[in-house]
Amino acid sequence: MGRTVYYVASSLDGFIATPDHSLDWLLTREVDDDGPMGITPFLAGVGAIVTGSATYEWVRAYQDAWDYTVPTWVLTHRELAPPPGADVRFARGDVRAVHAEMVAVAGERDRWIVGGGEVVGQFADAGLLDEVVIAYAPVTLGAGAPLLPRRLELRLTELARNGEFACARYDVVRPG
Ligand SMILES: NC(=O)c1ccc[n+]([C@@H]2O[C@H](COP(=O)([O-])OP(=O)(O)OC[C@H]3O[C@@H](n4cnc5c(N)ncnc54)[C@H](OP(=O)(O)O)[C@@H]3O)[C@@H](O)[C@H]2O)c1
C-alpha cells in the first residue's frame, strides 16, 4: 500500500508561506523539477491528493485552473465550485474518512498532503502521516504559515541537494 506523504517547501525557520500567503520567497529559486527529490518523480508516484482550502484556492489562482490529474480532496466548511474537468471532491470534518477514500483510490500509489501545516497535523493526530519530505529554501521569513505545528518524532532517511534547496526525507516515528 502507498504512503501518506507531506511533500512541501519550507523556509529555514519553518514557514511555508508568508503571513499574507505569498510564495515569492520560493518560486523565484533555482530548482530541477526532475532532479533529486524533485516534484516530477514525486508526482509520478502519487495517486491521490488532499489539501486545505487556502492552499487549494492559492494553487487554483496560480495555475488559473487545477492541473493535477489524480483525484483531489479539498477540506473546507464552505461550498466551493469544482474546477471544470478536474476530479476535485470537497470534504469536511474528520480526516480519517478522507484518508480511507484516498487509500481506496490510490492503492499502491502514495497519498500527497499538500498542506497547510494544520491539515497535516490533523492526519498526524490520527496516526495517518507516514512520511515528510521537505525542500528547505535558503531564507528565513520570521513569521507565516507554519510547516507542521505538532510535536512529532521523525527519522531522517534521505538527504539531497537540488538547486538552491536542501532536501530531506523523514519517516514519522509512531509512539511505541
Ligand atoms: N511552501 C509550500 O510548499 C506550500 C505548500 C502548501 C501550502 N502552502 C501555502 O501555505 C499556506 C497554508 O495556509 P493555511 O495553513 O492557512 O491553509 P490550508 O491548510 O490550505 O487551509 C486551511 C483551511 O482549510 C479548511 N479546513 C482545514 N481542515 C478542515 C477540516 N478538517 N474540515 C473542513 N475544513 C477544513 C478551513 O477552511 P474553510 O472551512 O474556511 O474553507 C481552514 O481554514 C497557503 O498560503 C498555501 O498557499 C505552501
Side-chain angles (χ1 to χ4, degrees):
M1 190 173 85
R3 311 190 88 199
T4 301
V5 183
Y6 181 30
Y7 179 95
V8 71
S10 175
S11 69
L12 284 188
D13 53 346
F15 298 106
I16 61 171
T18 65
D20 60 353
H21 292 279
S22 171
L23 296 183
D24 61 345
W25 54 275
L26 172 63
L27 299 173
T28 52
R29 294 189 188 276
E30 181 203 332
V31 67
D32 178 2
D33 286 346
D34 300 320
M37 294 198 216
I39 186 74
T40 306
F42 173 71
L43 271 179
V46 167
I49 292 174
V50 63
T51 173
S53 65
T55 300
Y56 166 72
E57 291 185 307
W58 189 95
V59 173
R60 264 202 83 170
Y62 182 72
Q63 295 181 340
D64 200 23
W66 184 258
D67 288 349
Y68 302 113
T69 53
V70 299
T72 298
W73 281 258
V74 177
L75 295 172
T76 184
H77 298 95
R78 294 173 289 145
E79 299 301 321
L80 299 176
D87 186 346
V88 171
R89 310 160 187 202
F90 299 98
R92 67 182 67 187
D94 194 330
V95 297
R96 286 175 293 193
V98 172
H99 184 266
E101 292 178 39
M102 293 174 77
V103 168
V105 163
E108 293 301 313
R109 301 172 85 189
D110 289 336
R111 304 164 293 270
W112 178 22
I113 313 177
V114 184
E118 182 56 38
V119 165
V120 182
Q122 294 174 45
F123 281 82
D125 292 345
L128 297 173
L129 179 63
D130 297 315
E131 190 171 76
V132 177
V133 182
I134 307 173
Y136 291 100
V139 62
T140 59
L141 297 174
L147 172 65
L148 211 182
R150 294 293 190 278
R151 178 165 180 170
L152 288 179
E153 196 62 37
L154 305 169
R155 184 185 307 111
L156 181 66
T157 58
E158 188 178 352
L159 275 176
R161 176 180 183 159
N162 185 324
E164 294 182 67
F165 293 85
C167 304
R169 184 187 306 276
Y170 305 88
D171 280 342
V172 175
V173 179
R174 298 225 160 71

